[in-house]
Amino acid sequence: FLSRFLPRFCITLDLFQLTCLCPLPCFPRSRDYDGFVSSLLLPEDARRSSLALRAFNVELAQVKDSVSQKTIGLMRMQFWKTTVEEIYRDDPPVQPVSAELWRAVKKHYLTKRWMLRIISEREKDLEDRAYRNLQELEAYSENTQSSLLYLLLESLGVKDVHADHAASHIGKAQGIVTCLRATPYNSSRRKVYLPMDICMLHRASQEDFIRGSREQNVRDVVYDIASQAHVHLQHARSFSKNIPASAFPAFLQTVVLEDYLQRVRRVDFDVFHPSLQKRNPLIPVQLYIRSWKKTY
């Protein structure tokens, strides 16, 4: 037992070795560290494709923060729309992420619709406004995070309706948690994207978040939003008995989501608490254990 699993376990523990294991040098690890580690624990046949898909997602996600004008952002989104079309015509542009995406598409016959849906939704997000309600945030999460999970399932060779349902809920939970995790950063830039209906319900203004308020009404907003993410995780796990084991590696991200929700609960839903800005060093170990147990 030890001779079989201890070497891999030690590699997982060593954060420096993780970088050496990555078969995709162009992957921006600092932008999606959790996704990077999760991808390394996928079966070898799907690992490189997973990293390519996550790199593609990161490229799109960082457009909004990296451009000063919406027009430039729209041009970059158009580049990726054209790139996807060219990939499916077997003529990818000479660009590292594009080349890896083309390889993944050829190997796993990935569905073009999911990639284009991610791009279109990211393009809409360039409007740079708060979500009007929680349903709008969930729709955004479904079209981005859930679409990415559908592609990951395809790279694992999984075609199962229960797995798709679980992916839908996990993607929504992922989008909600990402919105919460980004709140301190966005607030420091005088931007607030949290659902307006929940903020209005608890009489929490955008200015409260911009100045980093830790009052009860702000915590109540975070509680309501975090609770919805928890509900989606519970729904996703209700399908676990009907999902093929081969799909579970695509859902390892639930470890990260669960970790954040537990930590924000321990600080009484103070989204600006300093402990939430630090990465949990045990996440790689927890991911490994979950992958070994074949659960999510």
Side-chain angles (χ1 to χ4, degrees):
F1 175 88
L2 289 177
S3 63
R4 181 179 177 185
F5 292 107
L6 189 57
R8 188 179 176 196
F9 183 70
C10 291
I11 288 174
T12 307
L13 277 173
D14 189 343
L15 302 185
F16 296 101
Q17 289 295 327
L18 286 173
T19 301
C20 299
L21 288 172
C22 180
L24 190 68
C26 64
F27 187 86
R29 303 171 189 88
S30 62
R31 296 286 300 192
D32 186 14
Y33 176 82
D34 299 325
F36 166 65
V37 178
S38 298
S39 293
L40 294 179
L41 293 170
L42 263 59
E44 186 175 354
D45 191 54
R47 192 178 304 150
R48 185 167 180 172
S49 297
S50 172
L51 288 166
L53 289 168
R54 291 193 179 278
F56 167 68
N57 188 54
V58 168
E59 287 284 334
L60 296 172
Q62 65 186 5
V63 168
K64 183 176 179 178
D65 290 336
S66 62
V67 299
S68 56
Q69 297 178 9
K70 180 183 174 182
T71 304
I72 300 175
L74 291 172
M75 291 171 62
R76 292 195 184 180
M77 292 300 179
Q78 184 57 49
F79 164 79
W80 283 108
K81 285 181 182 179
T82 304
T83 294
V84 169
E85 295 293 345
E86 290 175 344
I87 284 172
Y88 281 86
R89 290 198 300 264
D90 274 346
D91 185 28
V94 182
Q95 198 262 4
V97 176
S98 303
E100 289 296 327
L101 266 184
W102 174 78
R103 179 185 177 279
V105 167
K106 293 287 288 183
K107 185 174 184 179
H108 303 289
Y109 304 101
L110 302 179
T111 303
K112 179 169 68 171
R113 180 174 76 256
W114 302 131
M115 292 189 194
L116 292 177
R117 191 163 83 160
I118 295 172
I119 298 171
S120 295
E121 197 65 27
R122 295 287 189 187
E123 187 176 62
K124 293 177 189 175
D125 196 44
L126 293 174
E127 294 293 337
D128 204 28
R129 58 176 178 80
Y131 300 102
R132 288 173 293 184
N133 48 53
L134 192 54
Q135 290 71 33
E136 196 171 89
L137 172 55
E138 289 176 326
Y140 172 78
S141 304
E142 164 70 28
N143 291 332
T144 53
Q145 302 295 343
S146 297
S147 294
L148 178 63
L149 288 176
Y150 300 148
L151 290 164
L152 289 177
L153 286 173
E154 289 184 346
S155 71
L156 290 166
V158 176
K159 293 184 178 180
D160 181 85
V161 65
H162 298 296
D164 288 344
H165 284 161
S168 176
H169 285 292
I170 292 170
K172 289 174 183 175
Q174 172 85 55
I176 293 170
V177 168
T178 299
C179 187
L180 286 175
R181 290 178 68 174
T183 295
Y185 169 74
N186 290 328
S187 297
S188 69
R189 300 169 65 239
R190 300 191 64 80
K191 297 179 183 293
V192 180
Y193 300 113
L194 297 174
M196 290 187 290
D197 62 336
I198 297 180
C199 293
M200 291 172 63
L201 177 65
H202 297 290
R203 297 182 179 179
S205 66
Q206 289 197 345
E207 189 60 35
D208 289 332
F209 287 95
I210 289 171
R211 56 187 176 82
S213 172
R214 303 167 86 167
E215 297 298 321
Q216 189 59 49
N217 62 331
V218 171
R219 294 171 187 255
D220 289 341
V221 170
V222 176
Y223 170 80
D224 282 359
I225 297 173
S227 295
Q228 189 64 15
H230 177 73
V231 167
H232 282 299
L233 281 182
Q234 293 302 104
H235 279 312
R237 285 172 175 151
S238 70
F239 297 103
S240 61
K241 293 182 180 179
N242 301 313
I243 294 175
S246 56
F248 288 2
F251 301 151
L252 285 175
Q253 199 78 359
T254 57
V255 173
V256 180
L257 306 182
E258 191 175 50
D259 173 73
Y260 179 83
L261 292 174
Q262 288 176 351
R263 288 196 293 145
V264 77
R265 178 176 55 82
R266 284 198 292 266
V267 297
D268 194 24
F269 301 96
D270 176 12
V271 76
F272 296 103
H273 196 279
S275 66
L276 296 177
Q277 312 310 312
K278 300 175 183 177
R279 181 183 294 153
N280 182 353
L282 295 178
I283 283 293
V285 180
Q286 293 170 1
L287 284 166
Y288 174 78
I289 293 173
R290 194 69 64 88
S291 69
W292 180 55
K293 288 183 176 180
K294 292 182 169 57
T295 60
Y296 67 91

